[in-house]
Amino acid sequence: MDKNCIFCKIISGEIPKEFAFENADIVAFSDIRPIKPVHLLIVPKIHITDFTKLENDLILGKIRIAILGLIEQNKLTDKGYRIVVNGGGAQAVDHLHFHLTGPWGKAAEL
Ligand code: AMP
Ligand code: ZN
């Protein structure tokens, strides 16, 4: 828990938020500025600042399972989704989170 962290405040309930998913380790909620009809943030409850600081593969596995469930629930399985982690200074919020967005068309061929 970092008392200056907006996601820690959401996780603790200090900032009210409806969760699309919650278990002992993870929450998911809608992004406040969605870029697609589905735009969820999947967030470990523990305050980890950046993907490179994530040393716990158990948490990573639990995030994977949470995201799989959310893909299915939001009917994105065959509709085109993206899972994005901004880090290394590209992120606005310094509490690790995975963006799940969709539906997307096929990515342009490189
Ligand atoms: P990033 O650039 O990966 O750190 O993205 C942070 C994301 O958090 C942005 O897409 C914001 O719109 C989103 N965000 C910031 N504050 C909130 C909030 N209070 N509730 C939901 N999403 C938020
Ligand atoms: Zn935090």
Side-chain angles (χ1 to χ4, degrees), residues 32-93:
I32 208 164
R33 293 179 65 197
I35 63 163
K36 282 284 172 181
V38 178
H39 188 164
L40 292 164
L41 302 174
I42 297 87
V43 187
K45 287 187 175 177
I46 187 170
H47 181 84
I48 301 166
T49 53
D50 186 280
F51 187 73
T52 59
K53 306 288 188 308
L54 174 61
E55 290 166 352
N56 187 337
D57 285 340
L58 209 58
I59 293 277
L60 191 57
K62 290 179 177 186
I63 290 171
R64 182 181 72 82
I65 289 166
I67 291 175
L68 285 175
L70 290 164
I71 288 171
E72 199 174 29
Q73 260 178 44
N74 288 281
K75 308 196 187 322
L76 290 175
T77 309
D78 300 313
K79 289 222 175 96
Y81 57 82
R82 290 185 186 173
I83 299 163
V84 170
V85 181
N86 296 312
Q91 75 275 41
V93 176

Side-chain angles (χ1 to χ4, degrees), residues 7 10 15-21 27-43 70 73-74 97-101:
F7 286 179
I10 289 172
I15 295 177
K17 185 71 74 179
E18 189 181 327
F19 294 146
F21 174 86
V27 296
F29 49 85
S30 292
D31 196 293
I32 208 164
R33 293 179 65 197
I35 63 163
K36 282 284 172 181
V38 178
H39 188 164
L40 292 164
L41 302 174
I42 297 87
V43 187
L70 290 164
Q73 260 178 44
N74 288 281
H97 52 281
F98 290 63
H99 296 253
L100 171 64
T101 57

Side-chain angles (χ1 to χ4, degrees), residues 2 5 7-8 47 95:
D2 178 323
C5 169
F7 286 179
C8 282
H47 181 84
H95 180 134

